Structure formats: structure tokens, C-alpha cells
Amino acid sequence: VTNFADHKVDTRFVLRSQLPTGLAQIWVDEAIGDNRIVVYEGAAGQLNVDAANNLLKDGCLDGVDIVVCQNEIPLDTTLHFLRVAHEGGKITMFNVAPARGSLPDACLGYVSVLVVNESEASQISGVEVSCVQSATSAATALQRRGARTVVVTLGAQGCVLLEEGVAEPEVLACPKVEKVVDTSGAGDCWVGCFAYYLSVGKSMKECCRRAGEIASVSVREKGTQASYPA
């Protein structure tokens, strides 16, 4: 919480729990920078729908234009936030990380922008994603189920953007990184940058391009938040 405050993040709606804060154990392959992460949800697993309603009553979404959800709290709570935000006319982003199997179609109907990586796209779309072509197929399947715009991130291959109202998908490259040190947190970096640039009026394509550029910087250093460029 102190770190958030130091970076001017509003911490008024942080809840306290008797359980420890969630913890992620990260293993990094030093040869190529890829990672494996095991997550203990801890206090995050206690954020139920009742607690969410209390936060909403206290005004946690007041004045908010974009609501970003991930998959580290109970899914029922995430769906509740997405529904309330969607019905309130806000832009909703759902980064399904970590993936925990399939998602109900009703959930996707509340999502303005769905962001998934290869493994997440594979789990929730039923299409095994291993390349740009299969990522496009997965994005198409997810859009048909209700998500308006779908982005499948592909690491060094960039991303596939299937935007609402645009017939053809965009394949957007990211800068080549000569030496990848640690990919941990690169997805979070990408999502945060995309949301920021969307909030200042950039196009979906430009948001993807800039998010890819900044995330490519983050993989050149060890760590998660510490690797993000200022």
C-alpha cells in the first residue's frame, strides 16, 4: 500500500483482511527469460460480492471512465464489478490472468476490451493458440461470444487486435529485444499502458502499439513493478 501511495495511486478503497496479502512465486528461465508463476490468492480471495457492493456504495467507481479487472479475485465478484461498470456506461477491460478454465458468455457480454495471452486464450476459447493464425481464430470465437474488442498478446510476436466494428484483425508487432531477462509482469505492464493510453483518447491500434513498446522495455530487467520504465 505504501508503494501505491508513493506512486500516487488512490488507496482509499484498499480493504484489510486477517489473511496475508496474495503472493506469487516466480520461476524464471535465465536462458530465455520465460517464467512460471504459482499464485497464492490470500486476502484477494476474500473479496466477495458483499464486500464489492460496500465498495460501490462508498463510491469506488465514481468519476471512473475505465474499469480494469483481472482474475485474481473470486470470479463472481469480478463479474459483478464488470456488470455494474458496463451498465454504468464505463469502458470495461478484463485481463483474464491467471486463467482458471472457461468463462460464462454472460461475463463476456459486459467486456469492452478482453485481453488474454496465448495460454489464457486457449483455455477460455477452446482454440489452441500457438501462432498469429490460431490467435486470430481464438479472438474471433471470443468476440462471437460477446466480447466487443479482443486482444491476444503473443509475447515477442506482438499481438492480434480484433476491434469491434472492424472487419479485419490487426497483427501488431512489438520491438525486438536482443536480450530478454525476465518476462514476469510484462502482461500487467501491457494492460496498464493500454488502459492509460485508451483513457487519453488513443485509438485501439495505437494503444496496442504503445503498450507493446513499453512492455518490451520491461522484459530487459529483473522483477515486475521494478522493471517498468518510469
Side-chain angles (χ1 to χ4, degrees):
V1 176
T2 300
N3 184 51
F4 290 158
D6 288 344
H7 287 83
K8 297 181 171 41
V9 175
D10 188 346
T11 60
R12 288 177 298 156
F13 301 106
V14 173
L15 301 179
R16 299 288 183 175
S17 169
Q18 293 182 340
L19 290 178
T21 300
L23 179 68
Q25 294 283 350
I26 304 172
W27 286 264
V28 177
D29 183 335
E30 293 187 352
I32 58 175
D34 282 351
N35 66 76
R36 291 290 181 271
I37 304 175
V38 177
V39 176
Y40 163 67
E41 64 182 10
Q46 302 295 299
L47 185 57
N48 57 30
V49 173
D50 288 340
N53 278 328
N54 287 334
L55 290 171
L56 291 165
K57 289 176 183 176
D58 288 341
C60 70
L61 297 186
D62 291 355
V64 170
D65 297 318
I66 300 175
V67 175
V68 181
C69 292
Q70 291 187 297
N71 212 21
E72 296 187 7
I73 62 175
L75 183 58
D76 286 349
T77 309
T78 300
L79 299 187
H80 186 64
F81 271 119
L82 288 170
R83 180 182 62 79
V84 171
H86 171 71
E87 292 176 352
K90 302 180 188 302
I91 296 171
T92 56
M93 287 183 62
F94 189 15
N95 174 218
V96 192
R100 304 185 186 190
S102 61
L103 288 176
D105 289 355
C107 160
L108 296 176
Y110 303 136
V111 179
S112 308
V113 184
L114 182 73
V115 181
V116 284
N117 65 18
E118 299 106 313
S119 61
E120 293 153 3
S122 298
Q123 286 194 48
I124 67 174
S125 73
V127 177
E128 188 63 33
V129 175
S130 59
C131 61
V132 167
Q133 183 176 358
S134 55
T136 300
S137 298
T140 301
L142 292 167
Q143 192 179 62
R144 286 174 178 165
R145 288 174 53 193
R148 288 158 184 76
T149 291
V150 181
V151 183
V152 181
T153 59
L154 298 167
Q157 298 181 73
C159 70
V160 171
L161 166 66
L162 188 57
E163 186 175 355
E164 181 181 24
V166 178
E168 295 298 321
E170 290 269 7
V171 180
L172 301 166
C174 64
K176 183 177 180 181
V177 178
E178 293 298 331
K179 174 61 177 176
V180 175
V181 174
D182 184 357
T183 59
S184 305
D188 295 329
C189 180
W190 195 102
V191 169
C193 292
F194 183 101
Y196 167 74
Y197 285 113
L198 191 62
S199 76
V200 296
K202 300 300 181 184
S203 68
M204 294 282 185
K205 182 177 179 179
E206 184 67 6
C207 290
C208 288
R209 187 185 69 78
R210 295 192 183 204
E213 288 179 350
I214 297 170
S216 71
V217 174
S218 76
V219 303
R220 301 173 192 179
E221 304 288 342
K222 287 185 179 180
T224 52
Q225 295 179 44
S227 70
Y228 299 165

